[in-house]
Structure formats: structure tokens, C-alpha cells
């Protein structure tokens, strides 16, 4: 199985930047598509970004497109989410996820491995 551990969350002012990481262990990292999701107490978990293992194509939610960048370093078994121009509405617990399944990368039920989450708080 795959184990995922997020890190790098914290408090940042609106307009600032932050990079969060997800370290993977267990199965071969390069064989899994990876995604980032976020969740607040008032909302269901929502898709943020994803990256395909085969061709490196990246996908983003409209709300973060142009501001967030997902990347992967196979040598380090790590996926990153680079966040810029942060807004208060970006405040959430961010989760990384991995999937060995074929399916939509923006659907949370397509992922079979999840990290514990890292808190990102954006202040005004």
C-alpha cells in the first residue's frame, strides 16, 4: 500500500505564497496519479489539482487556475502544491491523494490513498 504524509501548511497573509508537500512511501510512487483536495467544516472535500504519472499533464480547479501549481519529483517520491496570490477563501485542510485506478482525477472517490491533511490558513 501507499502511505502519504503532507507537510508545509501554516499561516500566510492574503496575497502571499506557500508550498506544501506530500511524501509517499510503500508502492512505487511513479505508478500513481496524484491529486490535491481541500476541505473546510462547512463544505465537502473539493478538487484542487492533479497530475498524471504517464505524461505529466496537470489539471486545476477553476478557482485556483493561474495561482496554484502541482508538481512531482519522482526521485524524492514527493508531490508539491505551490500556491501564490493566496486568498482567504483558500483557507482549508489540504489533502494529497494517490490512485492506481482508471477514472476521473477530479473525483475524490476515485482515489484509494489519502494523507492526513495539512492546515493552510490565509488571513486578511
Amino acid at each position: 500500500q501507499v502511505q502519504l504524509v503532507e507537510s508545509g501548511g501554516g499561516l500566510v497573509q492574503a496575497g502571499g505564497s506557500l508550498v506544501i508537500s506530500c511524501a509517499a512511501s510503500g508502492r512505487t510512487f511513479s505508478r500513481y496519479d496524484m491529486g490535491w483536495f481541500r476541505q473546510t467544516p462547512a463544505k465537502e472535500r473539493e478538487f484542487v489539482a492533479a497530475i498524471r504519472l504517464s505524461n505529466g499533464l496537470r489539471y486545476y480547479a477553476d478557482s485556483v487556475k493561474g495561482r496554484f501549481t502541482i508538481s512531482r519529483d519522482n526521485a524524492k517520491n514527493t508531490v508539491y502544491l505551490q500556491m501564490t496570490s493566496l486568498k482567504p477563501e483558500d483557507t482549508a485542510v489540504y489533502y494529497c491523494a494517490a490512485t492506481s485506478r482508471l477514472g476521473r482525477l477530479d473525483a475524490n472517490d476515485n482515489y484509494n490513498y489519502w494523507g492526513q491533511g495539512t492546515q493552510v490558513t490565509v488571513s486578511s
Side-chain angles (χ1 to χ4, degrees):
Q1 62 179 353
V2 174
Q3 295 180 341
L4 305 173
V5 180
E6 301 97 332
S7 62
L11 177 65
V12 63
Q13 291 185 335
S17 301
L18 194 66
V19 180
I20 55 177
S21 304
C22 176
S25 62
R27 302 290 298 276
T28 302
F29 176 72
S30 62
R31 296 183 179 181
Y32 292 84
D33 295 332
M34 301 292 298
W36 284 99
F37 293 77
R38 65 188 183 187
Q39 188 171 23
T40 65
K43 299 179 180 178
E44 295 184 358
R45 190 168 300 181
E46 65 176 351
F47 169 75
V48 176
I51 184 168
R52 290 194 181 277
L53 72 92
S54 58
N55 54 19
L57 286 176
R58 300 182 290 203
Y59 305 88
Y60 299 96
D62 288 341
S63 60
V64 306
K65 189 174 296 183
R67 299 189 297 120
F68 291 11
T69 302
I70 186 172
S71 61
R72 180 171 59 195
D73 187 337
N74 289 338
K76 297 181 178 180
N77 290 337
T78 302
V79 64
Y80 304 93
L81 186 66
Q82 300 175 334
M83 302 179 287
T84 63
S85 301
L86 283 162
K87 305 174 181 179
E89 52 263 44
D90 293 320
T91 296
V93 177
Y94 284 72
Y95 298 89
C96 67
T99 181
S100 59
R101 303 164 179 165
L102 298 176
R104 294 178 57 176
L105 297 184
D106 62 347
N108 56 35
D109 59 2
N110 186 50
Y111 291 81
N112 45 349
Y113 302 102
W114 292 86
Q116 84 288 351
T118 187
Q119 176 71 46
V120 174
T121 302
V122 184
S123 64
S124 300

